[in-house]
Amino acid sequence: MSPSAAPILITGASQRVGLHCAERLLDDGQPVIISYRTERDGVHRLRERGACVIAADFSDEAGILAFIERLKAATPHLRAIVHNASDWLTEAPGHEAEAFQRMFSVHMLAPYLINLHAEALLRHGGPADIVHISDDVARKGSEKRIAYCASKAGLDNLTLSFAARYAPAIKVNGIAPALVMFNDNDDAAYREKTLAKSALGIEPGAEVVYQGLRYLLDNPYVTGTTLTLNGGRHLK
Ligand SMILES: NC(=O)C1=CN([C@@H]2O[C@H](COP(=O)(O)OP(=O)(O)OC[C@H]3O[C@@H](n4cnc5c(N)ncnc54)[C@H](OP(=O)(O)O)[C@@H]3O)[C@@H](O)[C@H]2O)C=CC1
Ligand SMILES: Nc1nc2c(c(=O)[nH]1)N=C([C@H](O)[C@@H](O)CO)CN2
């Protein structure tokens, strides 16, 4: 891919899925911009590989708008925006409203404001995409993470609205994973219980999200669609 190609923005790419997708795009010669909140080893690695790295905290409107200004200063065009940044919060007793606000801000307000303010960066005459990384759990709800799940369901709805508004110049789609990669503190009992929730029963790793992203970027006839990436959880 030519080095003058417009960059792809991945939010929340300092670790795990976002970092993997950013590295795979760089492997393909695709320029990358990431947002990060914590200065992790992954940020240093991406910076060394030539990615543009921008600090951002999407916990409130001011932080989101500050990121948008830094993004506009960093590039005149974007090939795509991948909204990956996410906090997997439970609602601590007595802090439910704070948790809901934080989930709404990172999973809905940030994608909404970035999509609105960065529209012109995507309108450059070439292929352009927005991809929202959601969660398969939005399909049925989550008793343990009500606010998280509701905000991811709202993100799925943003996919439909922005796809209708931005067609035909910009495709807008989603990816809704179930378990892709555990967290280091997930114990054996939790891992066994979680793996049993899907028909395929595996922890696939971040590459399956990159494969879904690649499909959406490369296919000119898909918009307003959310790819289910759940190992067949809906079959159990
Ligand atoms: N892992 C899985 O099995 C599954 C993942 N998903 C979804 O896939 C995506 C990637 O998952 P995963 O890699 O596990 O995600 P992480 O939990 O690793 O979160 C990704 C990044 O989001 C950033 N982030 C969190 N809150 C904020 C905020 N308020 N402002 C800015 N950045 C923030 C963090 O940045 P930093 O570290 O720099 O602070 C973090 O590294 C997420 O959207 C997730 O909901 C869905 C289902 C299953
Ligand atoms: N931001 C995050 N969202 C989610 C995570 C995560 O680690 N960070 N993990 C999950 C689980 O894997 C779940 O799908 C299975 O227990 C969901 N969302």
Side-chain angles (χ1 to χ4, degrees):
M1 186 168 298
S2 74
S4 62
I8 290 180
L9 165 65
I10 304 182
T11 67
S14 69
Q15 64 177 2
R16 294 164 59 83
V17 172
L19 174 61
H20 178 82
C21 290
E23 296 229 71
R24 295 285 277 107
L25 288 170
L26 289 169
D27 294 344
D28 290 347
Q30 166 63 51
V32 166
I33 298 175
I34 71 145
S35 88
Y36 71 95
R37 189 182 51 172
T38 308
E39 187 84 36
R40 301 177 188 277
D41 289 345
V43 177
H44 303 151
R45 192 153 79 240
L46 292 175
R47 189 185 281 121
E48 284 163 8
R49 293 193 62 181
C52 171
V53 300
I54 302 176
D57 190 332
F58 299 143
S59 300
D60 58 27
E61 180 186 358
I64 298 165
L65 294 178
F67 166 75
I68 290 167
E69 288 315 303
R70 295 186 200 117
L71 175 67
K72 287 181 175 177
T75 184
H77 298 308
L78 284 172
R79 166 62 185 82
I81 300 172
V82 182
H83 294 288
N84 170 78
S86 171
D87 224 342
W88 195 35
L89 281 188
T90 54
E91 297 111 60
H95 298 278
E96 292 85 353
E98 177 195 346
F100 197 98
Q101 179 59 44
R102 284 176 59 186
M103 292 294 86
F104 169 80
S105 193
V106 66
H107 295 146
M108 289 191 69
L109 188 61
Y112 173 74
L113 291 177
I114 292 168
N115 289 350
L116 290 175
H117 287 270
E119 178 185 356
L121 301 182
L122 290 163
R123 289 189 183 274
H124 44 67
D129 288 85
I130 295 170
V131 180
H132 298 135
I133 309 295
S134 178
D135 190 320
D136 178 63
V137 78
R139 176 170 51 83
K140 67 184 187 63
S142 168
E143 61 178 307
K144 291 189 175 73
R145 287 179 171 82
I146 297 173
Y148 166 88
C149 191
S151 64
K152 288 287 193 177
L155 181 59
D156 287 342
N157 195 261
L158 290 179
T159 297
L160 300 174
S161 298
F162 276 105
R165 177 181 285 193
Y166 284 177
I170 305 165
K171 296 185 279 115
V172 183
N173 292 289
I175 298 174
L179 169 73
V180 168
M181 51 195 306
F182 286 112
N183 282 283
D184 292 343
N185 59 352
D186 290 334
D187 64 25
Y190 173 82
R191 292 171 187 247
E192 184 179 0
K193 181 186 72 168
T194 303
L195 292 172
K197 288 182 178 178
S198 78
L200 298 180
I202 61 168
E203 176 195 16
E207 180 65 7
V208 297
V209 177
Y210 179 71
Q211 289 170 329
L213 175 61
R214 196 71 264 165
Y215 166 76
L216 292 173
L217 293 173
D218 296 342
N219 193 305
Y221 198 49
V222 177
T223 196
T225 297
T226 293
L227 299 182
T228 292
L229 206 55
N230 72 357
R233 273 198 183 199
H234 55 285
L235 302 174
K236 301 235 14 182

